[in-house]
Amino acid sequence: MNILLNVILGLMLTIGIYAGAKRLYRRLPKVYLSPLLITPVLIVIILTQTGVSYETYNGGAQWISKLLGPATIAFAVPLYKNFRTLKKHAAEIMLSVLTGSVLAMLSSAYLAKWMHLNSSLATSLVPRSITTPIAMNVSEVIGGVPNMTAVFVIMTGILGSMIGPAVMRIFRIRGDIARGVLFGTSAHGTGTSKAFEFSSLSGTISSISMIVAALFTLGTAPLIMALFY
Amino acid sequence: MINMIKGTLQVAGFMLLSLGMDRMAKWLDWGIPGSILGIVVVFILLETKILRLEWIELGANWLLAELLLFFIPAAVGIMKYFPMLEADGLQILFVVVFSTIIVMVSSGLTAGFISSRKERKTP
């Protein structure tokens, strides 16, 4: 098959469905209509129905994934604009992100053991709450399967942005700081874009929390794993 | 129209920077990914006024607004793991949902608790 055609089809399919899903979500902002849920589901259905493999699709779509790096760097802008507020709240952000990150690793490992998942699955689940590139890195270091970790990271992001608002309601978690910390620590970049829906301060706190959580997990995961086994 | 050209150029700038930072990360070999190095470098350049906010703001806003789009190809990658998910999917879903709730409640309540104590101390 023509490679160029594949690239164009992969790109058009992804961007077209995403644009449609985004318009729908703007009109009907329901959790189950989130573009990050609807778009992949529709694409998977189309691919399986037409018998196109993931590798063929990703030949074109990988060019979209390549923007994840530049987009992560772009977090420097809200970071710079909100630096004063962040400095003022540095203590609560640090302490709560560290608490959340330790519990993310331990609860993933313990719940996986409780569910009788095999150890390579359990280990791959441990870094699932941090941003994809670092999570894959951590997974490799502690003996997981980086590709599986990537899938769990995405699952966490989608589920996290779906259940986040309900958790905030039930546990009466209010305020821009607490909301930002909640989304950034539990659901990385996906949660951060959800946090930006609440306020730009929440979003920025969330992006900081995401970065702190990623670096902290990177540094402590081997230690936590040693404690666990 | 001018804004569109400006935005596109700025996004291209971020892409070049990202490539450069990935190289630097590999060269430094500290185990820190290029994107995190990039945040630090851009932040320092902005703080020291070497880089002006208006040179990159439009492109950065666009990248952040469409962040979800960039996750979609990876999310579609879940189809490679359908056999595994058929066997252990429910258990995995359980782990992800409950662990996520634990993380949200612990981090959110800790932040809320410290904020409210701070407010009481400084009226």
Side-chain angles (χ1 to χ4, degrees):
Chain A
M1 247 297 265
N2 196 324
I3 293 174
L4 191 68
L5 191 68
N6 267 349
V7 170
I8 293 169
L9 280 178
L11 287 176
M12 273 180 26
L13 185 70
T14 313
I15 296 172
I17 294 178
Y18 170 76
K22 219 179 144 180
R23 283 183 76 170
L24 179 71
Y25 183 70
R26 214 172 290 145
R27 257 194 222 165
L28 262 171
K30 305 265 182 224
V31 274
Y32 52 86
L33 288 180
S34 161
L36 191 59
L37 183 66
I38 291 289
T39 317
V41 166
L42 285 177
I43 295 174
V44 168
I45 292 172
I46 291 171
L47 294 182
T48 45
Q49 290 305 309
T50 54
V52 176
S53 73
Y54 176 68
E55 281 69 26
T56 310
Y57 161 77
N58 203 37
Q62 60 166 323
W63 294 98
I64 297 170
S65 310
K66 287 195 199 306
L67 282 169
L68 211 47
T72 308
I73 298 180
F75 278 117
V77 169
L79 185 65
Y80 169 74
K81 278 160 75 181
N82 294 286
F83 194 55
R84 247 164 212 271
T85 331
L86 292 171
K87 252 175 39 194
K88 214 172 105 196
H89 300 288
E92 55 257 56
I93 295 173
M94 285 297 182
L95 262 173
S96 39
V97 173
L98 300 195
T99 312
S101 299
V102 171
L103 286 175
M105 292 185 266
L106 284 178
S107 65
S108 297
Y110 276 105
L111 288 171
K113 199 176 173 187
W114 191 40
M115 287 284 110
H116 302 294
L117 292 173
N118 67 47
S119 74
S120 92
L121 269 176
T123 313
S124 307
L125 275 161
V126 166
R128 55 162 194 86
S129 62
I130 60 171
T131 186
T132 317
I134 306 183
M136 290 175 78
N137 214 322
V138 171
S139 179
E140 199 171 355
V141 171
I142 60 176
V145 183
N147 264 327
M148 251 168 9
T149 297
V151 172
F152 299 146
V153 171
I154 299 286
M155 268 176 82
T156 302
I158 295 172
L159 289 165
S161 41
M162 285 171 74
I163 59 182
V167 171
M168 289 182 338
R169 236 185 354 259
I170 294 165
F171 291 90
R172 301 207 170 85
I173 294 164
R174 296 192 190 97
D176 289 322
I177 315 284
R179 282 177 174 172
V181 165
L182 177 147
F183 277 114
T185 313
S186 66
H188 54 93
T190 320
T192 299
S193 65
K194 184 79 195 169
F196 270 110
E197 280 179 25
F198 288 96
S199 74
S200 113
L201 182 59
S202 283
T204 310
I205 304 271
S206 180
S207 50
I208 298 282
S209 306
M210 170 187 98
I211 297 164
V212 174
L215 292 177
F216 182 71
T217 305
L218 187 70
T220 58
L223 196 80
I224 298 274
M225 289 308 284
L227 275 175
F228 181 72
Y229 286 107
Chain B
M1 188 63 195
I2 289 176
N3 268 351
M4 229 176 113
I5 297 169
K6 249 166 103 182
T8 311
L9 282 175
Q10 292 177 3
V11 169
F14 273 107
M15 290 168 77
L16 279 176
L17 188 70
S18 171
L19 284 175
M21 287 299 140
D22 282 344
R23 285 235 173 132
M24 191 155 114
K26 219 174 250 171
W27 179 72
L28 286 171
D29 200 24
W30 291 347
I32 298 175
S35 51
I36 300 286
L37 276 182
I39 296 178
V40 176
V41 168
V42 173
F43 180 79
I44 291 172
L45 290 177
L46 284 169
E47 274 290 315
T48 52
K49 313 274 182 230
I50 296 171
L51 197 64
R52 292 239 200 112
L53 189 60
E54 61 262 33
W55 294 346
I56 59 167
E57 198 176 10
L58 206 62
N61 285 345
W62 184 81
L63 282 169
L64 292 177
E66 305 305 338
L67 191 64
L68 290 186
L69 170 66
F70 313 141
F71 283 106
I72 285 166
V76 176
I78 204 165
M79 65 187 277
K80 283 193 297 185
Y81 295 93
F82 277 159
M84 176 191 87
L85 292 174
E86 238 168 273
D88 295 317
L90 275 179
Q91 287 92 322
I92 292 170
L93 196 67
F94 176 88
V95 173
V96 172
V97 168
F98 276 88
S99 170
T100 299
I101 293 174
I102 292 171
V103 179
M104 285 179 163
V105 173
S106 62
S107 61
L109 287 182
T110 310
F113 177 72
I114 302 174
S115 300
S116 64
R117 279 194 61 168
K118 253 189 175 172
E119 268 161 39
R120 234 180 294 153
K121 254 189 226 162
T122 48

